[in-house]
């Protein structure tokens, strides 16, 4: 299931980047959509609870968040410059 989701997201992102060749903008729009869905589920139906953001819980994760953001940007940039197969192979080999 994970491979199916991951592979389909790479394909969808490649199609989006073909039409809109700005990786940073695509990432920002995806993150804004995710935030909108989370708050929509919270305010419209009360289906999920959202805890308030507190600095003492956020600060330990800032380095991880920055590293994750750089990784996502590099992934989108490489996807815009190469083909899908190359990106999938390098993502699979990255943990090694």
């Amino acid at each position: 299931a994970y491979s199916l989701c991951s592979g389909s997201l790479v394909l969808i992102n490649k199609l989006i980047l073909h039409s809109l060749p700005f990786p940073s903008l695509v990432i920002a729009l995806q993150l804004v959509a995710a935030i909108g869905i989370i708050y929509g589920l919270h305010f419209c139906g009360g289906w999920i609870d959202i805890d308030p953001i507190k600095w003492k819980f956020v600060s330990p994760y800032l380095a991880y968040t920055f590293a994750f953001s750089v990784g996502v940007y590099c992934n989108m940039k490489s996807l815009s410059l190469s083909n899908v197969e190359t990106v999938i192979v390098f993502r699979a080999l990255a943990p090694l």
Side-chain angles (χ1 to χ4, degrees):
Y2 173 77
S3 297
L4 178 67
C5 290
S6 178
S8 61
L9 284 175
V10 169
L11 289 172
I12 291 169
N13 282 336
K14 180 66 174 182
L15 291 173
I16 292 170
L17 286 172
H18 185 70
S19 301
L20 185 64
F22 303 108
S24 298
L25 181 62
V26 172
I27 295 168
L29 292 174
Q30 289 175 350
L31 292 176
V32 167
I35 291 169
I37 289 170
I38 290 169
Y39 277 104
L41 289 173
H42 175 70
F43 290 122
C44 293
W47 293 349
I48 60 173
D49 293 327
I50 299 175
D51 295 330
I53 296 174
K54 296 179 182 171
W55 181 251
K56 68 178 182 175
F57 298 124
V58 172
S59 60
Y61 294 100
L62 287 178
Y64 169 75
T65 304
F66 178 75
F68 177 78
S69 300
V70 169
V72 170
Y73 175 76
C74 290
N75 185 36
M76 293 293 280
K77 190 66 176 173
S78 64
L79 190 59
S80 69
L81 297 174
S82 65
N83 58 17
V84 174
E85 294 84 7
T86 304
V87 173
I88 291 174
V89 167
F90 277 100
R91 282 179 56 182
L93 294 174
L96 299 176

